Amino acid sequence: MRDYVKINIASPKQILKWTERLTPKGKYIGKLKNSKKTLDKKGKCIRGGLFCEQIFGPTKKNTCRCGYYKNYKKSKKEKKHIKLCRICNVEITDPIIRNYRMGYIELNIPIINILYLNINPCYLAIITNLKINYLKQLHSGKAYITIKDKNQKEKKLTGGEAINDILSKIDLEKTLIKLTNNIHQYKEKNITIKNFKNILNKIKLYNYLLQTKIKFSWLLFKYLPVLPPNVRPIINMKNNQQISNDLNTLYASIINVNNKIIKLKESLIPDNYFINEKILLQKKVDQLINNEKYKENKLGKIINNKKLKSITENIKGKEGIIRENMLGKTVNFSGRSVIVVEPTLNLNECGLPKEMAINLFYPFIIKELIKLKLIKRLYKIKKITKILDIILENIIKNHYILLNRAPTLHRLNIQAFQPKLTIGKSIKLHPLVCSAFNADFDGDQMGVHIPLSLKAQAEARNILISINNCNSLKNGDPNILPSQDIILGCYFSNIENCNLLYILNKIQIYTNMEKIKMEYKKENLSIHNFIWLNFKNKQQIDKLKIKRKNLIKKIIFLRTTVGRILFNDIIKNFL
Amino acid sequence: MYSKNIIYFNKAFDKIEIKNLINWFLINYGNIKTTKLLDKIKKFGLIHATNAGISIGLNDLIIPPSKKNLVEISNKNLNKINKKFKNGKINLITYLIKEKRTWDNMNENLKIESIKNLKQNDLLNSLYTMTLSGARGNINQVKQLISMRGLISDSQGNLLNLPIKTNFKEGLNIVEYFISCYGARKGIIDTSLKTANAGYLTRRLIFASQNTIIRKTNCFTKYKKKIKIKYETKQEFKLLKEELIGRINVKTIKEKDNNKIIISYGQDICYTFKKILNHNINIYIRTPLNCILTTGICQMCYGWNLATGKIVELGETIGTIAAQSIGEPGTQLTMRTFHLGGIFTSKIKESILSPFTGKIWYDLNKNGKKTYNKFNEKIFLTSKEKKITIYENNINKSIYYLPPNSYIFVRPGEKVFKAQIIAETFDKQKKKENTKFNEVKKIKSNISGKKYINKKNKKFNNLYWILNANFITFNKFYHKLTDKLNFKKKSYTISKNMQDKNKKSKKNLQLKISIKNILNNMEKKKSKTNKKFIFINEILNKNKTIILNKPKKEKIINNKWKIGKFILKDEITNKNRNLYPSQIIQEKKDTSVLKKVTPYRLNDKILDKNPYIMKKNALLYKAVTKKEKNKDIIQGLVEIEKLFEAKKSFIIDKTKNLHEILKDLFVNYNKKYNNSTSTRKSIEIIQKYILEEIQSIYKEQGINISNKHIEIIIKQMTSKVIIKNAGNSPFIVGEICNINSIDNLNKNYEHKIIYEPILLGITKSSLYTQSFISQITFQESIKSLIKAAIENKIDWLYGLKENLILGNLIPIGTGFK
């Protein structure tokens, strides 16, 4: 079976399953009642508060809150069972548990999840077949419905209670059958395309709802799950100030309002008298989920008029969890420095500062050093410099690094090179790969990454290496091209200089290219000197690209310059 | 160049030559040898560059001596046109066009002239060697240094009519400096503002196509693309080459005589493609657009991987590569545009310049006729090949043969100056011009006066006269009179009513002017004292204004002209030249009094709703002009975005957008063919249109992108259909599905699914098929998250992003299974 990920709406039972735990004593733990969102003076979590150790787990490893257990080591038998401190009821485990363990708030009245109402398409409106504006009025307490009690008394409901009542009366199958039967009639009635599309959308949605067997009451919150404490951290600063995530304040306000409603209910005050509190609870929950729409409302603001960041805002956007943390991964073993040109490098090489190399290849160096039994501890390696150089050189020989320049617009902006250790602090780059990186040397910086695993190293060598990326992707043209000074040098040495000095000179005849080179080295010939080159074979001349065919028989000589002979000599070596 | 010893390159290696050399080397000798060669060339080049020690100084910038001449000539031309415009012979719009054209011509000719100058005088000039070799700078930059900066666009990209005649060596004057600041600022602003847009386009492209990878070896599609082999110019050949290389051939081609196979079915077309061209008219190839796999594309349809020059491997992420190839140059160019500094470049017709000052001669009666062009210039239009000769002296002469349909601007026997434009040739090829925008131009009167349209006279047809006059309200007029009265009491008399009041109380002036009285008084006064003339031409009761004529006395010896006759400028009247276009308003024995008039030539329609009298700077009429806009990559990117998003605002032929055209095509084809083929045929036309349009935008900027990449993105846009009749299938009407999967399903059904093609933008199309996890990473994450939850979606983790989020190995490239 293939792995898959499935998403659906959680039932209240499911939420309790995530959040509630049974202790060995037979007690259920997980419900949050106390709205204390801070730490106490010693920096410990307050019992029953939003960071309660009983509910979410210990903050220190194998240590309980009261200090009865300190760094307690579980025996093998105990590892299978849950172990609680007898005094403070804190479980003794790894504090990583605080990343996952959730709590819940039991809401006294059903609360609408604002996402089903505010986001287009409005699913609540489609399901209930009511207008969106009416639903929004119900949600904010401006409209109400009347129902009859068990005792046949009339009762007015607003908010989540009202919508709960409406949802409970819907029969999905009947409406779906009605719609599907009528679909052909709709065509005849000349209904506009927009309406027809709406009906189709409705049918689709009903189909999905029937398939998934969702109960409509699940669209409302009965139990509000509280995120694990490490997702909404609180930090104790040195001057007794505490920096806390925005979600904490939002959760605390929800608990406060909820507790108030509980008190009012306990004192047997009839429901109609605390409608305002109910609406306030609704608003608080809305703020927790989506705080964007409460721009003018004072409730959404806190000190300095800053809006609190809600859950949806934490998820979406470029800095949200999805794009920041799930798609983008922070990388170890990377560096960054200014680039500098180094013409003496080969095309598959780059210069890497020694300081950077030591830090980047740290684990590899230590591995070698431990193998050689030079050190036992990790941190002293910088003192042994002489051996370090040799070891580093050895490591670098077989280890390619990746260079990356910042706007990574296409795949040529990351290439692999063989590093060469250099003195100084800048990365040395080969001049011909500049066009691929679109780099110049006016202060550009580059990132360095190191492929760690063996597979990654192999890929860097075969696929990412700069000499295997000669052609550009978009049209197959050569990608590594000489530019600027190199071209100027080539052009200048190859040009026919029509200066009188060279023209009036008697042009010498040579048959041997080597001899010309020798003469050039002796400075008997300058680079612009004209030369008659004698070709020995006639065949050679036939294939020369000379347009005037009649003259071929007569020409055995080619008029070139010294520079051209030198340039052709280079090419000749590679043919 | 084939066997070992023979290769000898006897040419100067500039940038293009080196590029060709390396390209040839890469194809023939592979990567490793080439890179070693490159390292050697690098060393050679750097050593010789240092030995050469080329530097650049102020004396290397040589301004061509003919510049002075050229400026003079174009100034002369402009004066001519200006005269014509002031006489009302041409209207404002043609005047502006002509003005721009003369500057463009001069600009272009000066550029050619200056480079010629360098070439002839100093071949080793460092500026010349640098630009010619391609090492540093391009011709546009050199032009700004040694010829003239030329026409410039403002911050919106519109053309400014005032050119910069100086260059950087001479230095700009103050006005020119301020004008050039517009363009310079625009460049800087664009780089910082528009890079985000280009980046966003790339992100969308990547998201739309990231899931397309090479899935299978062959899809066995029966659809293919026909390519006609037809090329005349070098450029067409190059285009054909780019189209064909790296594609897979579908039809075997045999030699006619031997039955020898030239290229067989399933063979890839490589660099030796030229032999195919000699044998066949049409070639059939596979393209990604025709691949019938539901997800991804097959090896055969894709062909070569351009980076390696071999057939793509399985699991290659062609989608991402395509998106990067399209997005990268756009982003790169927006960051680089500021280098040109808003210089306006426009293409001009090929013109022939006179090589020296001398006399021109050609036969007026043969091979052509005399006409006027739209700028009201005398020209000679050639109908056949025409010989013209220019004599410098008795010995020295030059002969030109002009092709048919070219204009000659000078008459035989006329004197021509050096570098004067003699003729313009007619190009067969249509050059793509800069985009033109309709702009409503308000034309205002220069003087205040009365409007007059001469309809009877044919000579002055479509002319619009403004008679020079002043307006004055009753109030002001009265004040004027009374003021003057204070100065010169004796010379003025005013009606009794006013006089009495003035005398009684000078402080409280109550206006009860009877118009008749004023008129009478004035006329009397005129006759009595001949010193001051005030012509009261007309009195308008409604506006309470008086029109005063500004007479201009001018002696014109007796004419038979009547009062009210219009005279144009420079119309010779018995030895006296008329300095302004004017109207005769008074006649005496020997002289006649003239009044200054301004004529305006109208385009076609006259707005008669305008008031009868015109104030200064009042709106005369509105004219629709076509204004050129400098089209750079930033404007191009907007167009590209519209095309890729299939926006309804992208209108073709002024009426229809792409969606409407697709619908029309489908309806038309549906009469002939069945549902499936008509869908595919109509979609094919749209695909071709989008492809060509996008390529043309990129080509304009000198960016060369393989068709393959754009085809992959277009495939995402056009692979969906909307279901009209569900047939036997469980689909709901109105659902959007992949065309290939529905065609596969239709084989099993008796009542077939009927569908229509639709065009989806890249954002929309990417949201239809993909997994919900990759959807929430794109846009509107919360919305799609809730939709997925309600629809109870399952993600099977086929894509890249899903696996990336979950921390698995990505199923592409080396991880492909």
Side-chain angles (χ1 to χ4, degrees), chain B residues 201 205 326 432 631 633 636-637 639-645 650 658 686-701 703 705-707 709-711 713-714 717 762:
Chain B
L201 178 72
L205 284 173
I326 296 167
K432 246 206 164 178
K631 201 177 184 187
I633 187 70
L637 273 179
E639 298 271 288
I640 287 166
E641 195 191 322
K642 272 183 186 172
L643 276 165
F644 275 141
E645 289 290 3
F650 191 88
L658 278 172
I686 293 289
Q687 284 171 337
K688 200 184 167 193
Y689 179 81
I690 298 175
L691 177 69
E692 280 171 1
E693 201 71 2
I694 287 169
Q695 279 288 21
S696 77
I697 293 167
Y698 274 114
K699 283 257 161 69
E700 229 163 74
Q701 306 300 321
I703 302 164
I705 300 173
S706 174
N707 280 352
H709 301 307
I710 301 166
E711 275 163 7
I713 306 282
I714 293 173
M717 295 165 63
I762 43 173

Short mmCIF file of all heavy atoms in Angstrom, two decimals, chain B residues 201 205 326 432 631 633 636-637 639-645 650 658 686-701 703 705-707 709-711 713-714 717 762:
data_model
loop_
_atom_site.label_atom_id
_atom_site.label_comp_id
_atom_site.label_asym_id
_atom_site.label_seq_id
_atom_site.Cartn_x
_atom_site.Cartn_y
_atom_site.Cartn_z
N LEU B 201 5.95 36.18 -11.54
CA LEU B 201 5.61 35.41 -12.75
C LEU B 201 6.36 34.09 -12.75
O LEU B 201 5.78 33.03 -13.03
CB LEU B 201 5.93 36.22 -14.00
CG LEU B 201 5.66 35.50 -15.31
CD1 LEU B 201 4.18 35.40 -15.56
CD2 LEU B 201 6.34 36.18 -16.47
N LEU B 205 4.85 30.32 -12.79
CA LEU B 205 5.22 29.38 -13.84
C LEU B 205 5.75 28.08 -13.24
O LEU B 205 5.37 26.99 -13.65
CB LEU B 205 6.31 29.99 -14.73
CG LEU B 205 5.86 31.04 -15.73
CD1 LEU B 205 7.07 31.65 -16.39
CD2 LEU B 205 4.95 30.44 -16.77
N ILE B 326 11.98 30.30 -18.88
CA ILE B 326 11.15 31.44 -19.27
C ILE B 326 11.27 32.57 -18.26
O ILE B 326 11.33 33.74 -18.61
CB ILE B 326 9.68 31.00 -19.41
CG1 ILE B 326 9.55 29.98 -20.54
CG2 ILE B 326 8.78 32.17 -19.71
CD1 ILE B 326 8.24 29.28 -20.56
N LYS B 432 9.11 44.79 -37.54
CA LYS B 432 8.16 45.02 -36.44
C LYS B 432 8.47 46.37 -35.81
O LYS B 432 9.55 46.61 -35.30
CB LYS B 432 8.27 43.90 -35.41
CG LYS B 432 7.01 43.09 -35.36
CD LYS B 432 6.83 42.43 -34.02
CE LYS B 432 5.39 41.97 -33.89
NZ LYS B 432 5.16 41.28 -32.65
N LYS B 631 9.31 49.97 -26.20
CA LYS B 631 8.89 48.70 -25.65
C LYS B 631 10.09 47.98 -25.07
O LYS B 631 10.90 47.45 -25.79
CB LYS B 631 8.23 47.87 -26.73
CG LYS B 631 7.36 46.79 -26.17
CD LYS B 631 6.67 46.04 -27.25
CE LYS B 631 5.71 45.03 -26.66
NZ LYS B 631 5.14 44.18 -27.69
N ILE B 633 11.51 45.27 -21.79
CA ILE B 633 11.06 43.99 -21.24
C ILE B 633 9.95 44.18 -20.21
O ILE B 633 9.13 43.30 -20.00
CB ILE B 633 12.25 43.21 -20.64
CG1 ILE B 633 11.85 41.80 -20.21
CG2 ILE B 633 12.85 43.95 -19.47
CD1 ILE B 633 11.55 40.88 -21.32
N GLY B 636 6.90 44.20 -21.97
CA GLY B 636 6.76 42.86 -22.53
C GLY B 636 6.29 41.86 -21.49
O GLY B 636 5.45 41.02 -21.77
N LEU B 637 6.79 42.00 -20.28
CA LEU B 637 6.41 41.05 -19.23
C LEU B 637 4.93 41.14 -18.90
O LEU B 637 4.30 40.14 -18.59
CB LEU B 637 7.24 41.29 -17.97
CG LEU B 637 8.57 40.59 -17.91
CD1 LEU B 637 9.29 40.94 -16.65
CD2 LEU B 637 8.38 39.09 -18.00
N GLU B 639 2.59 41.83 -21.01
CA GLU B 639 1.92 41.10 -22.08
C GLU B 639 2.03 39.59 -21.86
O GLU B 639 1.06 38.86 -22.00
CB GLU B 639 2.57 41.45 -23.42
CG GLU B 639 2.47 42.90 -23.79
CD GLU B 639 1.22 43.19 -24.57
OE1 GLU B 639 1.18 42.76 -25.74
OE2 GLU B 639 0.30 43.81 -24.03
N ILE B 640 3.24 39.18 -21.49
CA ILE B 640 3.46 37.74 -21.28
C ILE B 640 2.58 37.22 -20.16
O ILE B 640 1.97 36.17 -20.26
CB ILE B 640 4.95 37.49 -20.96
CG1 ILE B 640 5.78 37.67 -22.22
CG2 ILE B 640 5.16 36.11 -20.41
CD1 ILE B 640 7.24 37.77 -21.97
N GLU B 641 2.47 38.04 -19.12
CA GLU B 641 1.63 37.62 -17.99
C GLU B 641 0.18 37.49 -18.42
O GLU B 641 -0.50 36.53 -18.07
CB GLU B 641 1.77 38.66 -16.88
CG GLU B 641 1.24 38.16 -15.56
CD GLU B 641 1.15 39.27 -14.56
OE1 GLU B 641 2.05 40.12 -14.55
OE2 GLU B 641 0.18 39.29 -13.81
N LYS B 642 -0.26 38.45 -19.24
CA LYS B 642 -1.64 38.38 -19.72
C LYS B 642 -1.87 37.12 -20.53
O LYS B 642 -2.91 36.48 -20.42
CB LYS B 642 -1.93 39.60 -20.60
CG LYS B 642 -2.41 40.80 -19.83
CD LYS B 642 -2.73 41.91 -20.80
CE LYS B 642 -3.08 43.18 -20.06
NZ LYS B 642 -3.20 44.31 -21.00
N LEU B 643 -0.89 36.76 -21.35
CA LEU B 643 -1.04 35.57 -22.18
C LEU B 643 -1.05 34.31 -21.34
O LEU B 643 -1.90 33.45 -21.52
CB LEU B 643 0.10 35.51 -23.18
CG LEU B 643 -0.08 36.32 -24.45
CD1 LEU B 643 1.23 36.46 -25.17
CD2 LEU B 643 -1.10 35.67 -25.35
N PHE B 644 -0.12 34.22 -20.41
CA PHE B 644 -0.03 33.00 -19.61
C PHE B 644 -1.21 32.85 -18.67
O PHE B 644 -1.61 31.75 -18.35
CB PHE B 644 1.26 32.99 -18.80
CG PHE B 644 2.44 32.47 -19.56
CD1 PHE B 644 3.69 33.04 -19.44
CD2 PHE B 644 2.31 31.40 -20.41
CE1 PHE B 644 4.78 32.56 -20.14
CE2 PHE B 644 3.39 30.91 -21.12
CZ PHE B 644 4.61 31.50 -20.99
N GLU B 645 -1.74 33.98 -18.23
CA GLU B 645 -2.90 33.88 -17.35
C GLU B 645 -4.19 33.83 -18.15
O GLU B 645 -5.28 33.79 -17.57
CB GLU B 645 -2.94 35.07 -16.38
CG GLU B 645 -1.87 35.03 -15.29
CD GLU B 645 -2.11 33.94 -14.28
OE1 GLU B 645 -3.06 33.18 -14.45
OE2 GLU B 645 -1.32 33.86 -13.33
N PHE B 650 -6.75 40.57 -22.67
CA PHE B 650 -5.86 40.46 -23.83
C PHE B 650 -6.70 40.30 -25.07
O PHE B 650 -7.29 39.26 -25.32
CB PHE B 650 -4.91 39.28 -23.66
CG PHE B 650 -3.82 39.27 -24.67
CD1 PHE B 650 -2.64 39.95 -24.45
CD2 PHE B 650 -3.99 38.62 -25.89
CE1 PHE B 650 -1.64 39.94 -25.38
CE2 PHE B 650 -3.00 38.62 -26.83
CZ PHE B 650 -1.83 39.29 -26.57
N LEU B 658 -9.01 35.71 -26.27
CA LEU B 658 -8.63 34.34 -26.62
C LEU B 658 -9.75 33.33 -26.38
O LEU B 658 -9.97 32.43 -27.17
CB LEU B 658 -7.39 33.94 -25.81
CG LEU B 658 -6.04 34.41 -26.35
CD1 LEU B 658 -4.96 34.11 -25.37
CD2 LEU B 658 -5.75 33.72 -27.66
N ILE B 686 -5.05 27.92 -31.06
CA ILE B 686 -4.80 28.82 -29.93
C ILE B 686 -3.38 28.62 -29.39
O ILE B 686 -2.67 29.57 -29.09
CB ILE B 686 -5.84 28.56 -28.81
CG1 ILE B 686 -7.23 28.96 -29.27
CG2 ILE B 686 -5.48 29.29 -27.54
CD1 ILE B 686 -7.45 30.43 -29.39
N GLN B 687 -2.97 27.35 -29.31
CA GLN B 687 -1.62 27.05 -28.81
C GLN B 687 -0.58 27.72 -29.69
O GLN B 687 0.37 28.34 -29.19
CB GLN B 687 -1.39 25.54 -28.84
CG GLN B 687 -2.08 24.81 -27.71
CD GLN B 687 -2.01 23.32 -27.89
OE1 GLN B 687 -1.83 22.83 -29.00
NE2 GLN B 687 -2.17 22.59 -26.81
N LYS B 688 -0.78 27.62 -30.99
CA LYS B 688 0.19 28.21 -31.92
C LYS B 688 0.23 29.72 -31.74
O LYS B 688 1.31 30.33 -31.74
CB LYS B 688 -0.23 27.86 -33.35
CG LYS B 688 0.91 27.98 -34.33
CD LYS B 688 0.40 27.71 -35.75
CE LYS B 688 1.45 28.14 -36.75
NZ LYS B 688 0.89 28.20 -38.10
N TYR B 689 -0.94 30.29 -31.55
CA TYR B 689 -0.99 31.75 -31.41
C TYR B 689 -0.22 32.20 -30.16
O TYR B 689 0.61 33.11 -30.23
CB TYR B 689 -2.45 32.22 -31.31
CG TYR B 689 -2.54 33.69 -31.13
CD1 TYR B 689 -2.44 34.54 -32.22
CD2 TYR B 689 -2.70 34.26 -29.87
CE1 TYR B 689 -2.49 35.90 -32.07
CE2 TYR B 689 -2.74 35.61 -29.70
CZ TYR B 689 -2.65 36.43 -30.80
OH TYR B 689 -2.67 37.78 -30.65
N ILE B 690 -0.51 31.54 -29.04
CA ILE B 690 0.16 31.95 -27.79
C ILE B 690 1.66 31.77 -27.91
O ILE B 690 2.45 32.63 -27.52
CB ILE B 690 -0.38 31.14 -26.60
CG1 ILE B 690 -1.86 31.39 -26.41
CG2 ILE B 690 0.34 31.51 -25.32
CD1 ILE B 690 -2.49 30.53 -25.35
N LEU B 691 2.07 30.65 -28.49
CA LEU B 691 3.51 30.37 -28.64
C LEU B 691 4.20 31.46 -29.43
O LEU B 691 5.22 32.01 -29.01
CB LEU B 691 3.68 29.02 -29.33
CG LEU B 691 5.11 28.59 -29.63
CD1 LEU B 691 5.82 28.27 -28.35
CD2 LEU B 691 5.13 27.39 -30.54
N GLU B 692 3.60 31.80 -30.58
CA GLU B 692 4.25 32.79 -31.44
C GLU B 692 4.28 34.16 -30.78
O GLU B 692 5.26 34.90 -30.91
CB GLU B 692 3.53 32.86 -32.80
CG GLU B 692 3.95 31.72 -33.71
CD GLU B 692 3.10 31.66 -34.95
OE1 GLU B 692 2.19 32.50 -35.12
OE2 GLU B 692 3.35 30.74 -35.75
N GLU B 693 3.20 34.47 -30.09
CA GLU B 693 3.13 35.79 -29.46
C GLU B 693 4.20 35.94 -28.39
O GLU B 693 4.90 36.95 -28.33
CB GLU B 693 1.73 35.96 -28.85
CG GLU B 693 1.32 37.38 -28.61
CD GLU B 693 1.04 38.13 -29.90
OE1 GLU B 693 1.11 37.53 -31.00
OE2 GLU B 693 0.78 39.32 -29.81
N ILE B 694 4.33 34.90 -27.57
CA ILE B 694 5.33 34.98 -26.50
C ILE B 694 6.74 35.01 -27.08
O ILE B 694 7.59 35.78 -26.64
CB ILE B 694 5.15 33.80 -25.53
CG1 ILE B 694 3.90 34.03 -24.70
CG2 ILE B 694 6.34 33.66 -24.61
CD1 ILE B 694 3.47 32.87 -23.90
N GLN B 695 6.96 34.18 -28.09
CA GLN B 695 8.30 34.19 -28.71
C GLN B 695 8.63 35.55 -29.29
O GLN B 695 9.76 36.02 -29.19
CB GLN B 695 8.36 33.13 -29.82
CG GLN B 695 8.62 31.73 -29.34
CD GLN B 695 10.04 31.53 -28.87
OE1 GLN B 695 10.73 32.46 -28.53
NE2 GLN B 695 10.46 30.28 -28.80
N SER B 696 7.62 36.21 -29.89
CA SER B 696 7.92 37.51 -30.51
C SER B 696 8.31 38.53 -29.46
O SER B 696 9.19 39.37 -29.69
CB SER B 696 6.71 37.99 -31.31
OG SER B 696 5.73 38.50 -30.45
N ILE B 697 7.67 38.47 -28.29
CA ILE B 697 8.02 39.42 -27.23
C ILE B 697 9.45 39.19 -26.76
O ILE B 697 10.22 40.13 -26.58
CB ILE B 697 7.03 39.31 -26.05
CG1 ILE B 697 5.64 39.77 -26.49
CG2 ILE B 697 7.49 40.17 -24.89
CD1 ILE B 697 4.56 39.43 -25.53
N TYR B 698 9.80 37.92 -26.58
CA TYR B 698 11.15 37.65 -26.10
C TYR B 698 12.20 37.94 -27.17
O TYR B 698 13.29 38.40 -26.88
CB TYR B 698 11.28 36.19 -25.64
CG TYR B 698 10.86 36.00 -24.20
CD1 TYR B 698 9.75 35.26 -23.87
CD2 TYR B 698 11.58 36.58 -23.18
CE1 TYR B 698 9.35 35.10 -22.57
CE2 TYR B 698 11.20 36.42 -21.86
CZ TYR B 698 10.08 35.68 -21.57
OH TYR B 698 9.71 35.53 -20.27
N LYS B 699 11.86 37.64 -28.44
CA LYS B 699 12.81 37.87 -29.53
C LYS B 699 13.14 39.35 -29.64
O LYS B 699 14.26 39.73 -29.99
CB LYS B 699 12.21 37.38 -30.84
CG LYS B 699 12.25 35.88 -30.99
CD LYS B 699 13.36 35.44 -31.92
CE LYS B 699 13.70 33.98 -31.70
NZ LYS B 699 12.65 33.07 -32.15
N GLU B 700 12.13 40.19 -29.38
CA GLU B 700 12.35 41.63 -29.48
C GLU B 700 13.46 42.09 -28.54
O GLU B 700 14.18 43.03 -28.82
CB GLU B 700 11.05 42.35 -29.10
CG GLU B 700 10.64 43.40 -30.10
CD GLU B 700 9.20 43.74 -29.89
OE1 GLU B 700 8.90 44.42 -28.91
OE2 GLU B 700 8.36 43.31 -30.71
N GLN B 701 13.57 41.41 -27.42
CA GLN B 701 14.59 41.78 -26.45
C GLN B 701 15.89 41.03 -26.68
O GLN B 701 16.82 41.13 -25.89
CB GLN B 701 14.11 41.49 -25.03
CG GLN B 701 12.79 42.12 -24.68
CD GLN B 701 12.84 43.62 -24.78
OE1 GLN B 701 13.83 44.23 -24.42
NE2 GLN B 701 11.80 44.23 -25.30
N ILE B 703 16.22 37.74 -26.65
CA ILE B 703 16.31 36.53 -25.83
C ILE B 703 15.89 35.34 -26.68
O ILE B 703 14.87 35.39 -27.35
CB ILE B 703 15.40 36.62 -24.59
CG1 ILE B 703 15.77 37.83 -23.78
CG2 ILE B 703 15.53 35.38 -23.75
CD1 ILE B 703 14.72 38.20 -22.80
N ILE B 705 14.75 31.63 -26.58
CA ILE B 705 14.26 30.51 -25.76
C ILE B 705 13.72 29.45 -26.69
O ILE B 705 13.03 29.77 -27.65
CB ILE B 705 13.16 30.96 -24.79
CG1 ILE B 705 13.68 32.04 -23.86
CG2 ILE B 705 12.65 29.80 -23.97
CD1 ILE B 705 12.61 32.63 -23.00
N SER B 706 14.04 28.21 -26.40
CA SER B 706 13.54 27.12 -27.23
C SER B 706 12.02 27.02 -27.10
O SER B 706 11.46 27.22 -26.04
CB SER B 706 14.19 25.82 -26.80
OG SER B 706 13.61 24.75 -27.50
N ASN B 707 11.39 26.67 -28.23
CA ASN B 707 9.93 26.54 -28.24
C ASN B 707 9.45 25.50 -27.24
O ASN B 707 8.37 25.62 -26.69
CB ASN B 707 9.45 26.10 -29.63
CG ASN B 707 9.39 27.26 -30.57
OD1 ASN B 707 9.56 28.40 -30.17
ND2 ASN B 707 9.15 26.98 -31.82
N HIS B 709 10.16 24.80 -24.23
CA HIS B 709 9.85 25.24 -22.88
C HIS B 709 8.50 25.92 -22.82
O HIS B 709 7.71 25.68 -21.90
CB HIS B 709 10.93 26.20 -22.39
CG HIS B 709 12.28 25.59 -22.37
ND1 HIS B 709 12.55 24.42 -21.74
CD2 HIS B 709 13.44 26.00 -22.92
CE1 HIS B 709 13.83 24.11 -21.89
NE2 HIS B 709 14.40 25.06 -22.61
N ILE B 710 8.25 26.77 -23.81
CA ILE B 710 6.97 27.48 -23.80
C ILE B 710 5.83 26.51 -24.07
O ILE B 710 4.76 26.62 -23.49
CB ILE B 710 7.01 28.62 -24.83
CG1 ILE B 710 8.14 29.57 -24.48
CG2 ILE B 710 5.71 29.38 -24.86
CD1 ILE B 710 8.50 30.51 -25.58
N GLU B 711 6.12 25.51 -24.91
CA GLU B 711 5.08 24.51 -25.21
C GLU B 711 4.65 23.77 -23.94
O GLU B 711 3.47 23.46 -23.77
CB GLU B 711 5.60 23.51 -26.25
CG GLU B 711 5.42 24.01 -27.67
CD GLU B 711 6.27 23.24 -28.65
OE1 GLU B 711 6.90 22.24 -28.25
OE2 GLU B 711 6.31 23.67 -29.82
N ILE B 713 4.56 24.88 -20.89
CA ILE B 713 3.66 25.73 -20.10
C ILE B 713 2.30 25.82 -20.78
O ILE B 713 1.25 25.74 -20.12
CB ILE B 713 4.26 27.14 -19.93
CG1 ILE B 713 5.66 27.08 -19.37
CG2 ILE B 713 3.37 27.99 -19.05
CD1 ILE B 713 5.79 26.84 -17.93
N ILE B 714 2.32 25.97 -22.10
CA ILE B 714 1.04 26.09 -22.81
C ILE B 714 0.23 24.81 -22.68
O ILE B 714 -0.98 24.84 -22.61
CB ILE B 714 1.29 26.44 -24.29
CG1 ILE B 714 1.88 27.84 -24.39
CG2 ILE B 714 0.02 26.39 -25.10
CD1 ILE B 714 2.31 28.22 -25.76
N MET B 717 -1.93 24.92 -19.84
CA MET B 717 -3.08 25.82 -19.98
C MET B 717 -4.19 25.21 -20.81
O MET B 717 -5.36 25.52 -20.61
CB MET B 717 -2.63 27.13 -20.64
CG MET B 717 -1.67 27.94 -19.83
SD MET B 717 -0.88 29.18 -20.84
CE MET B 717 -2.29 30.16 -21.30
N ILE B 762 -2.40 29.99 -15.97
CA ILE B 762 -1.49 29.06 -15.29
C ILE B 762 -1.85 28.90 -13.83
O ILE B 762 -1.73 27.83 -13.27
CB ILE B 762 -0.01 29.50 -15.44
CG1 ILE B 762 0.15 30.99 -15.25
CG2 ILE B 762 0.55 29.07 -16.74
CD1 ILE B 762 1.57 31.43 -15.21
#
